[in-house]
């Protein structure tokens, strides 16, 4: 900050500023090589120095940057605010009474929230501190704002907050911010096991699984995926604690780092009592269970599919999504649309429809079994009367299939020797495309190479390392006209480098 910015931010008169500059203990400006030759100071370093060296001017400094006297812990409890209660974002807010007023420490559940937003929401707070999800050398980053200066955010240290509240500051990894535990916690409580909180949520999966028969594939699928969600969240929390609090005792760090770690207390650890652990099943059973779940029609199935689809599409029975507008489709697109059969909506149809008022029909592709939903005027740049179809590509073609040709379209189609047309096997990512030099043509080349060898090969995924196909990639980098058909013979020549 420049001299003018410091004076404005801290309300200093010209004479007061001149007196500070004359003080031999005044902190030095930032090295001018980092400021393009402009004389500037670190604002917070200046504020801390000002509060220590000029007690009479301490009230010009943000509250938590001022030296704290001897404080007795006065915790007033906390409140968990859900997204349904307010539009400020889901968070827990713990309230502490300090000599300077009511200090609120907020822990967002998932998404970042600014302290000014929470200051406006929690009207009685004098100061709001937000514990951010990112962290640096001294623990999770903090952002604060005082009601006296709501437009002057600052970044206190954990040790500064601890000095003002008179005890260690609680810190919960985001995976352990379970509402009932947060609101029940009090200073001095020993750490307790807490069931991990995840996004997407594992709870609907366990609830549904518990209602299913012991040998039900749906039960096994829901427990398996829910257990994976819980386990990854628990592992993430443990890793974060090890990194921030140095619980392994491996790095120790600087005196400053040790001081900041000592200012924090961990109120929770990941719970290990997981009923899903004993009921996990192999991936083929998971796949059967999810296929059954997709075919159901109840609300609970829709909720579970929503959580599963946000977690991973790996075990869902369908591949990547694509959409087709009935107006202007190629011959192959029209062929696909015309073979769709109308069906009553299942759980997977309802998930794809998002309760959209523009839904005009639910279908199934009888060739691939993919659910399809149709909308009227849903997409912004389409005609308001246009009918669009949202479907899914297969993950693989049937065993024994033989590739006959590839059609460059949106989506890309493949036809087998028996004359059946399929959307090219694909996942939501990596995508398949053509006409430029990049990952899309490269993935398409790998996909087609696999189909030439075995047309029932699984779609290319990020976890695979299929062979590089330079000849096919060169072919697909060309800006072919939409609808171009490339025969198997042409594909094989390009692959061999003889085209």
């Amino acid at each position: 900050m420049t001299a003018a910015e410091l004076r404005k931010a801290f309300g200093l008169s010209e004479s007061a500023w001149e007196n500070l500059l004359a003080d031999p203990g005044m902190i030095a400006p930032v090295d001018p090589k980092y400021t393009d030759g402009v004389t500037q100071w670190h604002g917070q370093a200046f504020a801390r120095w000002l509060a220590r060296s000029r007690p009479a001017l301490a009230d010009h400094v943000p509250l938590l940057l001022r030296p704290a006297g001897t404080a007795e812990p006065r915790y007033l409890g906390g409140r968990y605010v859900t997204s349904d209660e307010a539009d400020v974002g889901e968070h827990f807010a713990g309230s502490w009474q300090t000599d300077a007023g009511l200090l609120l420490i907020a822990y967002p559940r998932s998404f970042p929230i600014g302290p000014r937003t929470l200051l406006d929401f929690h009207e009685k707070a004098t100061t709001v501190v937000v514990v951010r999800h990112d962290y640096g050398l001294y623990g999770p980053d903090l952002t604060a704002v005082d009601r006296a200066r709501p437009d002057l955010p600052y970044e206190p240290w954990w040790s500064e907050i601890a000095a003002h509240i008179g005890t260690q500051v609680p810190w919960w990894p985001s995976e352990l911010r379970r509402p009932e535990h947060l609101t029940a916690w009090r200073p001095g409580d020993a750490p307790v096991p807490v069931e991990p909180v995840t996004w997407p949520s594992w709870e609907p999966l366990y609830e549904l699984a518990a209602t299913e028969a012991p040998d039900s594939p749906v039960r096994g699928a829901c427990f398996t995926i829910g257990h994976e969600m819980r386990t990854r969240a628990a592992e993430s929390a443990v890793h974060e604690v090890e990194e921030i609090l140095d619980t392994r005792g491996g790095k120790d760090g600087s005196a400053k780092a040790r001081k900041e770690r000592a200012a924090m207390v961990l109120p929770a650890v990941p719970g290990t009592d997981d009923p899903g652990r004993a009921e996990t099943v192999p991936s083929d059973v998971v796949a059967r269970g999810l296929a059954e779940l997709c075919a159901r029609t109840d609300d609970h199935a829709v909720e579970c599919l929503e959580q599963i689809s946000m977690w991973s599409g790996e075990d869902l029975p369908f591949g990547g999504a694509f959409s087709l507008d009935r107006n202007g489709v190629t011959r192959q697109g029209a062929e696909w649309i015309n073979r769709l059969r109308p069906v009553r909506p299942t759980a997977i149809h309802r998930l794809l429809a998002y309760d959209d008022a523009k839904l005009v029909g639910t279908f199934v592709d009888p060739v691939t079994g993919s659910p399809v939903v149709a909308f009227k005027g849903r997409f912004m740049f389409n005609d308001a009367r246009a009918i669009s179809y949202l479907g899914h590509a297969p993950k693989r073609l049937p065993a024994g299939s033989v590739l006959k040709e590839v059609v460059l379209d949106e989506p890309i189609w493949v036809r087998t020797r028996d004359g059946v047309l399929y959307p090219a096997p694909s996942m939501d990512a990596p995508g398949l495309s053509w006409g430029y030099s990049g990952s899309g043509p490269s993935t398409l080349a790998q996909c087609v190479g696999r189909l030439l060898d075995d047309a029932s090969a699984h779609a290319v995924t990020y976890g695979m390392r299929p062979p590089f196909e330079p000849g096919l990639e060169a072919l697909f980098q060309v800006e072919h006209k939409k609808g171009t058909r490339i025969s198997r013979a042409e594909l094989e020549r390009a692959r061999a480098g003889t085209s």
Side-chain angles (χ1 to χ4, degrees):
M1 299 175 72
T2 64
E5 289 169 336
L6 288 176
R7 285 183 53 197
K8 181 178 180 181
F10 300 113
L12 300 172
S13 66
E14 184 175 353
S15 60
W17 177 252
E18 293 298 329
N19 287 334
L20 295 176
L21 286 178
D23 187 335
M26 169 75 165
I27 65 168
V30 178
D31 190 324
K33 71 181 180 182
Y34 299 117
T35 62
D36 293 329
V38 178
T39 303
Q40 294 183 341
W41 289 260
H42 287 295
Q44 295 198 148
F46 171 80
R48 291 185 174 99
W49 172 82
L50 182 66
R52 287 196 314 271
S53 63
R54 294 289 193 278
L57 296 176
D59 61 351
H60 290 246
V61 172
L63 285 170
L64 298 176
L65 303 187
R66 305 173 192 174
T70 303
E72 291 293 328
R74 289 174 286 174
Y75 184 59
L76 306 181
R79 173 186 176 189
Y80 195 92
V81 179
T82 68
S83 55
D84 294 332
E85 290 182 68
D87 60 0
V88 295
E90 190 169 351
H91 67 281
F92 171 70
S95 297
W96 301 79
Q97 188 63 51
T98 72
D99 293 340
L102 185 65
L103 171 62
L104 186 143
I105 306 176
Y107 306 79
R109 168 61 199 99
S110 299
F111 302 104
I113 309 174
R116 175 63 188 270
T117 298
L118 295 183
L119 185 71
D120 292 339
F121 180 74
H122 296 277
E123 297 177 350
K124 295 182 179 179
T126 302
T127 297
V128 170
V129 179
V130 174
V131 180
R132 290 160 45 181
H133 294 292
D134 52 335
Y135 54 91
L137 294 175
Y138 306 133
D141 291 331
L142 305 167
T143 305
V145 69
D146 301 331
R147 193 166 298 279
R149 295 184 181 86
D151 297 320
L152 184 63
Y154 58 100
E155 298 177 357
W157 292 325
W158 288 86
S159 58
E160 290 171 328
I161 299 175
H164 281 273
I165 67 175
T167 188
Q168 291 174 298
V169 186
W171 169 63
W172 289 269
S174 58
E175 298 85 359
L176 301 182
R177 295 176 189 175
R178 184 161 288 280
E180 56 270 29
H181 165 68
L182 293 165
T183 54
W185 178 84
R186 293 295 181 271
D189 287 354
V192 297
V194 171
E195 288 186 321
V197 180
T198 63
W199 188 91
S201 174
W202 58 267
E203 284 94 333
L205 278 62
Y206 275 33
E207 290 170 5
L208 178 61
T211 66
E212 296 290 308
D215 59 349
S216 163
V218 171
R219 180 185 179 98
C222 287
F223 269 133
T224 300
I225 297 173
H227 172 66
E228 182 181 354
M229 291 177 178
R230 287 179 55 130
T231 300
R232 288 194 189 179
E235 291 173 349
S236 176
V238 169
H239 174 75
E240 196 171 7
V241 169
E242 290 176 344
E243 287 297 309
I244 292 175
L245 297 183
D246 192 25
T247 54
R248 293 168 298 178
K251 59 184 179 184
D252 195 28
S254 65
K256 175 61 178 173
R258 293 195 297 272
K259 180 179 180 180
E260 296 308 306
R261 289 199 297 269
M264 289 183 272
V265 63
L266 186 70
V269 294
T272 58
D273 185 14
D274 180 1
R277 179 184 292 107
E279 299 216 38
T280 57
V281 295
S283 59
D284 62 325
V285 180
V286 171
R288 290 205 311 272
L290 294 189
E292 287 186 21
L293 200 60
C294 288
R296 288 169 53 159
T297 59
D298 56 286
D299 293 344
H300 209 161
V302 177
E303 183 180 14
C304 288
L305 285 174
E306 181 178 14
Q307 304 304 317
I308 292 168
S309 64
M310 290 188 291
W311 176 250
S312 170
E314 181 178 349
D315 294 310
L316 288 170
F318 318 111
F322 65 89
S323 64
L324 276 181
D325 185 340
R326 180 180 281 279
N327 297 333
V329 293
T330 62
R331 185 173 66 182
Q332 289 74 23
E335 179 181 343
W336 178 80
I337 291 173
N338 290 334
R339 81 184 182 200
L340 300 178
R341 293 205 313 254
V343 294
R344 297 184 64 181
T346 63
I348 190 65
H349 287 103
R350 291 175 57 192
L351 178 64
L352 297 175
Y354 299 109
D355 294 326
D356 198 311
K358 297 179 180 180
L359 178 70
V360 295
T362 52
F363 305 85
V364 67
D365 177 355
V367 171
T368 65
S370 166
V372 179
V373 291
F375 301 92
K376 184 177 182 178
R378 184 184 191 194
F379 299 104
M380 183 181 300
F381 299 107
N382 285 4
D383 187 298
R385 296 165 296 178
I387 303 296
S388 300
Y389 296 83
L390 178 64
H392 283 262
K395 291 184 174 181
R396 64 173 75 237
L397 304 186
S401 298
V402 178
L403 179 66
K404 177 182 178 181
E405 66 177 5
V406 171
V407 184
L408 301 180
D409 195 359
E410 297 176 6
I412 292 169
W413 306 98
V414 296
R415 195 179 297 275
T416 54
R417 188 168 290 171
D418 55 7
V420 180
L421 181 74
Y422 297 89
S426 66
M427 305 298 285
D428 280 320
L432 309 178
S433 56
W434 83 95
Y436 64 97
S437 177
S439 61
S442 176
T443 305
L444 175 58
Q446 293 173 339
C447 169
V448 171
R450 289 168 60 79
L451 294 177
L452 288 171
D453 294 335
D454 175 8
S456 63
H458 193 284
V460 176
T461 70
Y462 279 124
M464 293 180 176
R465 292 184 178 274
F468 180 54
E469 298 280 357
L472 288 172
E473 184 169 355
L475 173 65
F476 294 132
Q477 287 176 347
V478 176
E479 293 186 21
H480 299 283
K481 182 180 178 182
K482 182 178 178 181
T484 297
R485 298 166 56 188
I486 306 177
S487 68
R488 182 184 185 96
E490 293 173 301
L491 295 169
E492 290 176 335
R493 286 197 296 271
R495 191 184 198 189
T498 58
S499 59

